[in-house]
Amino acid sequence: MAPKALIFLALFSLLAIVSVADTDSDSGLVLNFYKDSCPQAEDIIREQVGLLYKRHKNTAFSWLRNIFHDCAVESCDASLLLDSTRRVLSEKETDRSFGLRNFRYLETIKEALERECPGVVSCADILVLSGRDGIVALGGPYIPLKTGRRDGRRSRADILEQYLPDHNESMTVVLERFKSIGIDTPGVVALLGSHSVGRTHCVKLVHRLYPAVDPALDPGHVEHMLHKCPDAIPDPKAVQYVRNDRGTPMKLDNNYYRNILDNKGLLIVDHQLANDKRTKPYVKKMAKSQDYFFKHFGRAITILTENNPLTGTKGEIRKQCNVANKHH
């Protein structure tokens, strides 16, 4: 190659790198945001997630759910973690957040980071990175996620239902809600694959069992559901639940899609996903290929975690994840 061509190629490559860097700088989110201010941040989070998961397996489900419940509601800014005040209800206490728990373990991670780098790492980034590492603990893919988020100062409980679809919503509503933040149909199908792990409280599924059994359900699975949920009006505080996936309940995998194609999905949204003409083709593809599922799952999680973050001088870095600094 001629010298002039080599010089041009080198300059072009440099411009491309600068262009990517500028794009990241404009968004405020970059990979390894804390490399100078707190070099051990991501290692600390990963270590804490591993230790907590070893002691409390269900923490990984919680960390995964946190991403959805926080980042889908207007901004990925850890507003979910704020406690109620005398004037404002916490997002954690709304009906859409029913079953969310283990928030105290995020505080454990925050405390470990504060010992290393006081006032540096945001709760929003802790929420996202603990979710990322929780996905890996469950056998899911490692997803490189950018950091640099700052924490919001207010709960969004009053507008939460405008953003978070309910498990009984129509598939049209579910697809539209996610489309509004840039997640396409295969991305929605992949995100709902999160239902392959964890459990569903009987409160959320008894309407499919009482007073009459939903005929769309697999009869063999109905027997199991009735055994786990013997009461038509279960106590929300009781430990009454059904595993989302009886085969691999602790593993994030594509078994979920095979289950819902066999009419073994617990929620209405699971049934709709497997039968709606817009989503069924992707359900079939993901049932056949875990790689296909993971590819779209990773892409959707990335989009979700980059939804309208607070960066730069917006928001704050909370001292405690459950309290805004002005109330600390």
Side-chain angles (χ1 to χ4, degrees), residues 20-57:
V20 171
D22 286 347
T23 300
D24 284 351
S25 178
D26 290 343
S27 72
L29 297 181
V30 295
L31 290 171
N32 203 13
F33 176 84
Y34 299 105
K35 67 178 185 291
D36 296 322
S37 58
C38 189
Q40 301 301 315
E42 296 200 24
D43 289 337
I44 290 171
I45 293 172
R46 190 176 297 111
E47 179 185 26
Q48 288 294 317
V49 165
L51 290 171
L52 290 164
Y53 179 70
K54 192 173 182 179
R55 293 200 297 266
H56 315 282
K57 297 293 185 186

Side-chain angles (χ1 to χ4, degrees), residues 228-241:
K228 292 292 186 178
C229 302
D231 304 314
I233 306 176
D235 180 356
K237 296 181 180 179
V239 183
Q240 290 186 319
Y241 60 85

Side-chain angles (χ1 to χ4, degrees), residues 67-68 71 135 143 145 178 181-194 286 292-307:
I67 289 179
F68 169 66
C71 297
I135 288 167
I143 307 166
L145 296 177
F178 283 106
I181 57 177
I183 298 176
D184 59 13
T185 300
V188 174
V189 175
L191 277 181
L192 286 170
S194 299
M286 292 181 195
Y292 182 79
F293 162 43
F294 282 173
K295 181 182 78 170
H296 285 283
F297 182 78
R299 184 179 299 163
I301 289 289
T302 300
I303 294 170
L304 191 56
T305 58
E306 294 181 11
N307 181 33

Side-chain angles (χ1 to χ4, degrees), residues 34 37-38 44 110-122 317-319:
Y34 299 105
S37 58
C38 189
I44 290 171
K110 175 67 169 174
E111 288 165 7
L113 287 162
E114 287 295 300
R115 288 193 292 271
E116 179 74 17
C117 312
V120 174
V121 183
S122 70
I317 305 297
R318 290 182 209 149
K319 294 181 176 68

Side-chain angles (χ1 to χ4, degrees), residues 8-22:
F8 174 79
L9 183 60
L11 286 171
F12 180 83
S13 299
L14 180 61
L15 286 170
I17 293 169
V18 172
S19 176
V20 171
D22 286 347

Side-chain angles (χ1 to χ4, degrees), residues 36-263:
D36 296 322
S37 58
C38 189
Q40 301 301 315
E42 296 200 24
D43 289 337
I44 290 171
I45 293 172
R46 190 176 297 111
E47 179 185 26
Q48 288 294 317
V49 165
L51 290 171
L52 290 164
Y53 179 70
K54 192 173 182 179
R55 293 200 297 266
H56 315 282
K57 297 293 185 186
N58 62 4
T59 53
F61 314 144
S62 302
W63 292 323
L64 177 52
R65 284 192 71 188
N66 287 343
I67 289 179
F68 169 66
H69 282 264
D70 185 66
C71 297
V73 183
E74 198 170 57
S75 174
C76 200
D77 67 349
S79 62
L80 171 69
L81 306 182
L82 292 170
D83 288 343
S84 293
T85 65
R86 284 180 296 177
R87 296 181 179 180
V88 182
L89 180 70
S90 168
E91 293 174 35
K92 293 182 286 190
E93 296 182 32
T94 64
D95 181 62
R96 291 281 160 82
S97 299
F98 178 81
L100 287 178
R101 57 194 184 281
N102 295 322
F103 295 110
R104 65 187 182 279
Y105 298 130
L106 289 175
E107 291 293 348
T108 301
I109 299 172
K110 175 67 169 174
E111 288 165 7
L113 287 162
E114 287 295 300
R115 288 193 292 271
E116 179 74 17
C117 312
V120 174
V121 183
S122 70
C123 297
D125 278 340
I126 294 171
L127 182 150
V128 165
L129 294 181
S130 62
R132 179 196 67 184
D133 296 337
I135 288 167
V136 173
L138 292 168
Y142 176 82
I143 307 166
L145 296 177
K146 296 177 182 177
T147 43
R149 297 165 193 79
R150 288 169 65 84
D151 300 321
R153 295 187 175 97
R154 64 182 182 85
S155 163
R156 293 189 174 85
D158 57 332
I159 59 170
L160 187 144
E161 292 190 6
Q162 298 173 30
Y163 293 89
L164 285 182
D166 186 62
H167 60 93
N168 288 322
E169 302 272 21
S170 70
M171 189 49 59
T172 295
V173 170
V174 173
L175 292 174
E176 286 178 351
R177 295 277 174 89
F178 283 106
K179 184 180 179 181
S180 69
I181 57 177
I183 298 176
D184 59 13
T185 300
V188 174
V189 175
L191 277 181
L192 286 170
S194 299
H195 290 177
S196 72
V197 293
R199 58 195 187 182
T200 297
H201 198 284
C202 293
V203 164
K204 294 295 184 180
L205 55 85
V206 287
H207 61 284
R208 300 193 74 191
L209 300 173
Y210 304 98
V213 172
D214 184 341
L217 285 166
D218 173 77
H221 205 53
V222 167
E223 186 178 348
H224 174 70
M225 292 168 70
L226 287 169
H227 174 70
K228 292 292 186 178
C229 302
D231 304 314
I233 306 176
D235 180 356
K237 296 181 180 179
V239 183
Q240 290 186 319
Y241 60 85
V242 182
R243 290 285 184 188
N244 290 341
D245 179 354
R246 294 171 66 188
T248 54
M250 301 295 292
K251 189 174 181 182
L252 181 66
D253 59 16
N254 64 336
N255 202 42
Y256 163 75
Y257 301 103
R258 292 190 284 271
N259 284 338
I260 62 175
L261 288 170
D262 289 338
N263 298 312

